[in-house]
Amino acid sequence: MTTPDPSSVIDLIDAFRRSKAMFTAVRLGIFDHLERGPAGLADLARSLPANADALERLLDANAGLGFLQKLENGRYANTAAASTYLVRSSPNAMTGYILYSDEVLFRMWANLADAVREGTHRWPQTFGSEGPIFDHFFRDDESKSTFLQGMHGFGLLSSPAVAAAFDLGGFTRLVDLGGATGHLAAAICERNRGLRAAIFDLAPVVEFAREYVRRSAAADRLELIAGDFFTDPLPPADLYALGRILHDWSEPKIRTLLRKIHQALPPGGGLLIAEKLLAPDKSGPPAAHLQSLNMLICTEGKERTLAEYESLLRAAGFSEVRGRVTGAPLDAALAIKGNG
């Protein structure tokens, strides 16, 4: 019998090492330093500071991963990917999500076996936190900033595709529930000039989001409203959006929220959902499977198929549900409230 190719197994044995090498380079500020210009090992070791021999290994590993160039004179420079996504000052930076992954997710995933055995998230086991899950993200200004910057950087990869998934030109007023930095609302308004929007989120998030909203080409049609979509009245709209919200919660909480949204909508109003959709038979895609495991260790929720979302939406009263696989990290679904 032919021995199977072991490369897929070896690749996954190495996978966390690759992630941690990139995470650590971001944490140490290597890409930020090199964005000012190429630098040699001695300069970097002195500036960071770091042990020169150990740092050289980390630099060379990131060069091998495609994030650094090793120039002929021995100096190092950022690649285009590093300058775009791994430099904190970049408008497309994913450094917030990287730091959140390094500080929080990397530690929590070490307890995945216990999460599978018990079917519950790992906050108490990992951090000793018994309070509401999202309290961890807002425990101090640095944690809040890291988490929200991470959501913003990740959101920029998907929001334009979600905004383009359906013709939203017939709507006039959007409220993005739990809209964070407003990247989805901004993308929708930039694509639909007749639409005005509000980002509805907790007060600490709203304050953080102001600078991000100001940068949008549609800033004059965007407003920020502080509130909790579970406990406060929803601002009036004929289109609501939920971006990476439903996968956080259990079905009872989802049903409560969807009924609340349905009741707030006028006839013909819509709900736009941005989530990663599992295939109908749950055979893929792998990114959705891994995110569903991430939800297991972090939240009360999971990833779902379009049919599972449709069942929840129809139970809440929506009469029409359509889905789109976007090719971006998030897919889209649009539910419409009937006229009856």
Side-chain angles (χ1 to χ4, degrees):
M1 185 178 72
T2 303
T3 302
D5 182 357
S7 59
S8 60
V9 175
I10 294 171
D11 179 72
L12 290 177
I13 290 173
D14 282 345
F16 80 91
R17 304 179 190 185
R18 295 196 299 272
S19 297
K20 194 65 173 177
M22 181 188 71
F23 292 172
T24 301
V26 169
R27 177 167 301 284
L28 292 177
I30 289 171
F31 303 111
D32 299 316
H33 190 287
L34 291 176
E35 193 63 11
R36 299 192 289 269
L41 175 61
D43 175 44
L44 286 165
R46 183 172 55 254
S47 300
L48 291 176
N51 175 273
D53 176 69
L55 178 60
E56 184 177 32
R57 300 185 213 183
L58 182 62
L59 292 167
D60 289 344
N62 276 275
L65 291 171
F67 300 128
L68 295 177
Q69 303 175 62
K70 198 167 184 179
L71 306 178
E72 290 183 3
N73 57 12
R75 295 189 299 168
Y76 294 86
N78 286 339
T79 63
S83 292
T84 302
Y85 300 116
L86 304 182
V87 173
R88 300 182 202 212
S89 60
S90 168
N92 298 102
M94 297 191 69
T95 51
Y97 200 81
I98 289 166
L99 293 171
Y100 164 65
S101 297
D102 191 27
E103 295 170 2
V104 177
L105 298 183
F106 196 86
R107 294 173 63 185
M108 294 184 76
W109 272 75
N111 298 316
L112 177 61
D114 290 330
V116 172
R117 291 187 189 103
E118 300 174 19
T120 56
H121 65 75
R122 297 294 97 191
W123 288 104
Q125 181 179 7
T126 310
F127 297 106
S129 171
E130 296 289 349
I133 294 168
F134 285 90
D135 282 359
H136 184 90
F137 302 141
F138 300 105
R139 68 188 186 277
D140 54 49
D141 287 344
E142 183 178 358
S143 299
K144 178 183 70 176
S145 176
T146 298
F147 178 70
L148 292 174
Q149 286 175 354
M151 294 301 98
H152 181 78
F154 198 86
L156 291 178
L157 300 179
S158 295
S159 288
V162 172
F166 302 101
D167 180 4
L168 304 176
F171 299 104
T172 60
R173 166 75 170 176
L174 163 71
V175 173
D176 188 3
L177 302 172
T181 57
H183 49 82
L184 179 56
I188 293 171
C189 284
E190 288 167 11
R191 186 177 179 86
N192 298 274
R193 295 182 180 274
L195 194 64
R196 303 187 70 84
I199 298 98
F200 186 72
D201 213 319
L202 302 175
V205 178
V206 164
E207 289 307 310
F208 182 88
R210 291 192 188 281
E211 176 59 25
Y212 290 93
V213 170
R214 187 188 65 80
R215 298 175 194 172
S216 170
D220 62 333
R221 290 181 283 121
L222 295 168
E223 65 174 312
L224 289 153
I225 302 174
D228 183 325
F229 53 67
F230 278 125
T231 59
D232 294 325
L234 302 183
D238 61 352
L239 176 65
Y240 289 101
L242 292 169
R244 299 187 83 189
I245 299 294
L246 295 183
H247 75 165
D248 289 332
W249 302 106
S250 63
E251 289 203 358
K253 288 185 179 178
I254 290 174
R255 291 179 188 278
T256 297
L257 179 57
L258 292 181
R259 285 194 298 268
K260 185 175 183 178
I261 292 169
H262 184 269
Q263 290 170 2
L265 281 169
L271 170 61
L272 178 68
I273 296 169
E275 297 284 3
K276 190 66 179 176
L277 295 175
L278 285 163
D281 63 355
K282 299 190 178 181
S283 60
H289 292 149
L290 294 173
Q291 182 68 338
S292 201
L293 286 173
N294 197 53
M295 294 297 97
L296 170 63
I297 65 167
C298 290
T299 73
E300 304 171 12
K302 62 181 181 179
E303 305 307 310
R304 296 174 172 85
T305 65
L306 178 62
E308 288 173 321
Y309 281 120
E310 182 173 3
S311 177
L312 290 165
L313 289 159
R314 290 191 181 279
F318 289 93
S319 60
E320 178 187 345
V321 181
R322 291 177 284 158
R324 295 283 187 275
V325 174
T326 67
L330 296 181
D331 301 314
L334 180 65
I336 304 296
K337 180 175 180 175
N339 294 311

